[in-house]
Amino acid sequence: MEFSLKHKICFLCIMVLLPALCTSQDTFTSSRATYYGSPDCYGTPTGACGYGEYGRTVNDGQVSAVARLYRNGTGCGACYQVRCREPQHCSSDGVNAVVTDYGEGDRTDFIFSRRAYAKLASNPAAAERLFAYGVVEIEYRRIPCRFSGGANLVFKVHENSKYPEYLALVIQYVAGQNDITSVELWQEDCKQWRAMRRAYGAVWDTPNPPSGSINLRFQVSGRAGEKFVQANNAIPGDWKAGLSYETDIQLN
């Protein structure tokens, strides 16, 4: 039985596109990595993403500052597998790190916490050699974020918020391979969604937030395209600066 022209075109498309679809997620990009010092080898609570203590300890402190991958803050919270290009002294899997800060080095894409940098090595003795090198040749790829215990999405009210006239939020535990590209809150009196501003990094803010509990929705950009995810009553009416409010949402 002969294929019709339509079937031949479809078959050709599959043969051309399938290899790219199967390998695109496995493609590594070459770069360099270094590290920054901290008293306890964790991350820094003053990172440009605005995560605070979360940015210091998330992923067991295996975190990184990035330069071009920061993407004006959209890259905050993204996860990457990073491994050495030269296998000597290094493990084959490398480290899975979370982006929590912005930083520029000597042609580096990653500036790791000491905990993350040490994970590149095959053993503690090899880690000391990597620290002595200061900079290593690496390759990296983006991977889905996974948090221990399957953590739900959390909205943290930033410490700079002032009840009730100014609200700033940080979205934490964004699992999967997703970027938060916009955040909106429901304005009941106008019956419409009102956009929040990306203040910096992963911090979204608005003056004069609605009174009462606050419904939020945020736009997610990921492997499946873009979509809005809604969180009703995400922030209570008596919200307080510095407190975190867990949702029942898990992105994947």
Side-chain angles (χ1 to χ4, degrees):
M1 182 175 65
E2 294 186 359
F3 283 114
S4 67
L5 178 60
K6 179 180 179 180
H7 287 144
K8 289 180 180 179
I9 292 174
C10 290
F11 180 76
L12 179 61
C13 289
I14 291 173
M15 294 301 294
V16 171
L17 294 176
L18 186 59
L21 292 173
C22 291
T23 59
S24 62
Q25 300 300 328
D26 295 326
T27 301
F28 282 84
T29 300
S30 297
S31 186
R32 285 153 54 94
T34 185
Y35 66 95
Y36 61 88
S38 61
D40 55 8
C41 301
Y42 283 91
T44 172
T46 58
C49 288
Y51 284 135
E53 186 67 14
Y54 169 87
R56 193 178 78 85
T57 59
V58 66
N59 197 38
D60 194 31
Q62 295 167 33
V63 298
S64 180
V66 294
R68 59 178 173 169
L69 298 175
Y70 184 74
R71 294 181 288 133
N72 294 319
T74 303
C76 289
C79 295
Y80 292 90
Q81 179 189 6
V82 184
R83 64 190 186 189
C84 299
R85 290 174 59 195
E86 299 293 335
Q88 186 180 17
H89 309 313
C90 294
S91 67
S92 57
D93 293 332
V95 60
N96 295 342
V98 180
V99 173
T100 59
D101 198 1
Y102 175 87
E104 296 184 8
D106 180 13
R107 293 176 289 121
T108 59
D109 274 315
F110 293 87
I111 306 177
F112 288 119
S113 67
R114 289 182 64 92
R115 276 179 175 259
Y117 192 78
K119 288 286 288 185
L120 291 171
S122 56
N123 56 62
E128 290 304 315
R129 294 188 179 94
L130 294 187
F131 282 120
Y133 293 156
V135 178
V136 291
E137 301 291 325
I138 56 96
E139 58 185 12
Y140 68 88
R141 64 176 178 177
R142 184 151 183 201
I143 59 173
C145 293
R146 295 184 175 89
F147 301 102
S148 60
N152 292 339
L153 201 75
V154 170
F155 291 101
K156 180 186 177 182
V157 179
H158 195 274
E159 288 81 356
N160 289 342
S161 299
K162 294 181 180 180
Y163 183 85
E165 65 265 17
Y166 172 73
L167 175 64
L169 297 174
V170 184
I171 305 177
Q172 302 174 347
Y173 298 107
V174 180
Q177 193 167 313
N178 298 296
D179 295 329
I180 304 297
T181 56
S182 69
V183 181
E184 300 176 347
L185 48 78
W186 179 250
Q187 193 76 37
E188 179 63 26
D189 53 355
C190 300
K191 302 296 182 184
Q192 65 182 15
W193 291 99
R194 190 177 87 195
M196 298 185 74
R197 176 185 71 115
R198 186 190 292 276
Y200 64 93
V203 180
W204 300 83
D205 71 352
T206 185
N208 304 314
S211 59
S213 62
I214 298 175
N215 297 332
L216 294 168
R217 73 173 186 178
F218 51 94
Q219 190 170 36
V220 177
S221 177
R223 290 181 177 179
E226 292 189 340
K227 65 178 180 180
F228 273 102
V229 177
Q230 188 166 326
N232 293 326
N233 304 315
I235 309 296
D238 59 348
W239 55 265
K240 294 177 175 61
L243 293 188
S244 297
Y245 301 98
E246 185 177 356
T247 71
D248 59 359
I249 297 171
Q250 285 191 356
L251 299 177
N252 49 41

